[in-house]
Amino acid sequence: MKKKLIIIGSVIVGLLLFCTFVMPHMILLFDRQDPVADEYAYSDVFYNEYDEVRAHLADKVEELKSLGYNPTLQSHAIDESDGLYIDTIYVPSKGEQTNLIVLTTGVHGIEGYIGSVMLDVFWDEVYTELKADNTGVLVVANVNPYGMKYHRRYNENNVDLNRNFILDWSAHDMTVNKDYPKCDEFLGPQGAMGNIFWHEAGFYGSLIGQVLTNGADTISNALLGGQYEYAEGVYYGGDGDEASTTFLKGVFKETLSGEYENVVHIDIHSGYGPRYNMVIFNSVFDTMTEAETKELFGYDTIIAIDSEDFYPTTGDTTDFYYRLKEQMQSDKSLFSTCFEFGTIGDSFIDSIISMKYTIEENQNHWYPSSDKVTNEIIKERYQELFYPTEKKWREKTVEDFKKACEGVLKAKLMD
């Protein structure tokens, strides 16, 4: 009997040691993304650093000048000491000021990298086909420069800028998200992560407990809508305008009071939706149905107000644009939408994985792990959530963006 206990004890100790010291490295190998391919569509502009994106933007402006256009590049400081700037490019129409295309990237900082690539696709393959005589273009790039530089969704104050576009803060209900307080202990950072293997087991155990206590819908609602009470939590919308928000609100106001008759706004994001499809996600203030939008744009992956997958958010850019137009009583024609490149996927399991990666990154931001392997795993997972390295994914983003732009602009630009 004693011998059996010794054997059993040795096996248990061995398993514990294996799980503690070997499994984290196996998890890292499993989670590590594919090496970046040498050749694929626009491979030379899939940058990984904020300064690279900004330098390339300046080079692109010079290229546009050489092609006979008249672009103006301006840099607007968010934090000069940290080298954080929002960059704008304005190319006026050559004649009548009929249409203004507004492109915004990097509202969620880390998503600015795929946004930067799509700007190249726009200039090279979409803009050249447009009627420049009556159409101007305004690009607002790197809206969240802190998030871009440090590869976070959130800004320097942990604010999700796409939940920060509130029309009137004095009238805004900070407790609008009734479900988040029920889940804060699960969603919010509670301390530094230890061994990643044991963390995994603990996470899924806590998730089961949350589902049994509050239900799966409660967690989903807590995450998607934005929240305004927990400054260290995920999807925190802030308690007033952030510097980037103030700037972009001013830009929107100028476009609605300027000379152009028709404004078409595309906000470029990544993360939500099926892995190999870009979703056109319309505002709650756009009245077109999913079927109508598909037919009008000639594009199949649509989420409109009547779509099963539609979910309302508080404080996003597209909704704000429409509300601002109403408040200003502007007579401009406006269409504002979001282009969202799916990364992880849209199944139930994919949504759990996406939530998990989001919670882990935020926890590690506030309470950095002392374990090198844990930090590397979290970094790899967060990159995959917004900016995959896979060649197939990157080539499909280019294909979808071109097709969606062509459909939207053909339908929404005036002659």
Side-chain angles (χ1 to χ4, degrees):
M1 184 68 180
K2 184 176 180 181
K3 186 176 180 180
K4 287 183 179 180
L5 290 174
I6 292 173
I7 293 172
I8 293 171
S10 298
V11 170
I12 292 173
V13 170
L15 284 172
L16 289 173
L17 291 173
F18 178 82
C19 292
T20 302
F21 296 105
V22 179
M23 280 302 296
H25 293 276
M26 294 180 68
I27 291 171
L28 177 58
L29 288 174
F30 179 79
D31 284 341
R32 197 179 293 281
Q33 294 199 77
D34 296 335
V36 178
D38 292 330
E39 295 289 337
Y40 55 96
Y42 287 86
S43 59
D44 57 331
V45 295
F46 274 83
Y47 297 113
N48 295 300
E49 299 298 333
Y50 168 68
D51 290 337
E52 291 179 325
V53 169
R54 296 197 68 222
H56 177 67
L57 203 64
D59 290 341
K60 200 67 183 179
V61 168
E62 294 305 313
E63 181 184 326
L64 289 169
K65 289 179 180 178
S66 72
L67 294 173
Y69 299 108
N70 186 30
T72 301
L73 172 65
Q74 292 185 311
S75 297
H76 310 268
I78 296 299
D79 185 347
E80 288 186 276
S81 64
D82 200 14
L84 302 180
Y85 298 86
I86 296 175
D87 296 307
T88 61
I89 300 174
Y90 172 56
V91 182
S93 64
K94 293 183 177 181
E96 295 180 0
Q97 293 178 313
T98 304
N99 303 300
L100 180 65
I101 300 169
V102 181
L103 301 172
T104 50
T105 72
V107 171
H108 290 145
I110 192 173
E111 300 172 25
Y113 291 100
I114 192 61
S116 171
V117 180
M118 294 308 115
L119 292 181
D120 266 62
V121 179
F122 174 82
W123 293 122
D124 294 350
E125 303 193 47
V126 178
Y127 182 59
T128 53
E129 301 299 318
L130 297 179
K131 186 179 178 182
D133 287 347
N134 71 351
T135 301
V137 178
L138 175 62
V139 168
V140 186
N142 322 325
V143 174
N144 175 4
Y146 173 90
M148 276 198 72
K149 183 172 182 177
Y150 297 104
H151 295 252
R152 296 204 77 212
R153 175 187 172 102
Y154 311 110
N155 79 343
E156 58 273 15
N157 297 316
N158 200 50
V159 172
D160 182 333
L161 293 184
N162 215 33
R163 303 296 182 268
N164 190 241
F165 281 79
I166 302 299
L167 190 67
D168 180 3
W169 283 98
S170 66
H172 179 61
D173 179 9
M174 294 295 192
T175 65
V176 63
N177 191 329
K178 306 302 181 184
D179 288 318
Y180 196 95
K182 303 173 186 176
C183 309
D184 175 58
E185 189 173 341
F186 171 64
L187 299 175
Q190 303 298 325
M193 272 182 277
N195 182 279
I196 192 69
F197 176 79
W198 301 115
H199 162 77
E200 303 280 89
F203 173 85
Y204 288 110
S206 297
L207 175 62
I208 291 170
Q210 281 290 320
V211 171
L212 291 175
T213 303
N214 297 310
D217 287 344
T218 300
I219 300 174
S220 177
N221 295 337
L223 284 170
L224 294 177
Q227 56 88 14
Y228 300 85
E229 297 179 87
Y230 300 85
E232 291 187 2
V234 293
Y235 300 98
Y236 175 58
D239 58 6
D241 283 354
E242 294 294 304
S244 294
T245 307
T246 298
F247 175 77
L248 190 54
K249 280 185 173 183
V251 170
F252 287 166
K253 187 173 183 179
E254 287 180 18
T255 65
L256 291 172
S257 59
E259 298 298 324
Y260 290 93
E261 301 172 31
N262 178 43
V263 179
V264 178
H265 170 232
I266 299 172
D267 193 22
I268 303 173
H269 287 263
S270 63
Y272 177 82
R275 181 168 173 90
Y276 299 108
N277 284 99
M278 192 205 81
V279 178
I280 297 179
F281 200 126
N282 283 348
S283 167
V284 68
F285 293 98
D286 186 90
T287 58
M288 287 191 297
T289 65
E290 181 178 323
E292 290 169 341
T293 309
K294 287 180 178 181
E295 182 177 0
L296 184 64
F297 295 159
Y299 192 84
D300 289 334
T301 315
I302 302 289
I303 295 181
I305 192 169
D306 68 326
S307 301
E308 182 180 347
D309 293 330
F310 182 87
Y311 61 89
T313 59
T314 304
D316 73 16
T317 59
T318 57
D319 289 355
F320 173 82
Y321 220 156
Y322 282 108
R323 296 187 69 194
L324 180 64
K325 176 182 182 296
E326 181 181 16
Q327 183 189 64
M328 293 175 61
Q329 298 182 331
S330 171
D331 61 356
K332 308 297 181 188
S333 175
L334 173 67
F335 176 70
S336 180
T337 194
C338 169
F339 283 10
E340 180 102 33
F341 297 95
T343 54
I344 299 296
D346 59 350
S347 70
F348 176 71
I349 298 299
D350 292 330
S351 65
I352 291 176
I353 292 172
S354 177
M355 172 181 65
K356 182 174 181 292
Y357 292 177
T358 299
I359 294 171
E360 288 173 344
E361 187 277 339
N362 187 57
Q363 181 175 350
N364 206 50
H365 170 75
W366 291 106
Y367 303 100
S369 173
S370 59
D371 184 82
K372 182 179 179 181
V373 176
T374 297
N375 285 314
E376 191 64 22
I377 289 170
I378 293 168
K379 178 182 176 182
E380 287 285 341
R381 288 173 171 176
Y382 208 60
Q383 170 95 353
E384 178 76 9
L385 187 55
F386 298 109
Y387 194 42
T389 60
E390 184 192 20
K391 177 180 177 180
K392 178 182 176 182
W393 184 85
R394 291 188 168 189
E395 289 193 321
K396 190 61 163 52
T397 62
V398 172
E399 179 184 327
D400 285 355
F401 182 78
K402 287 191 294 184
K403 184 175 181 180
C405 273
E406 289 165 0
V408 168
L409 298 180
K410 181 180 179 180
K412 289 298 181 177
L413 294 184
M414 298 178 177
D415 293 331

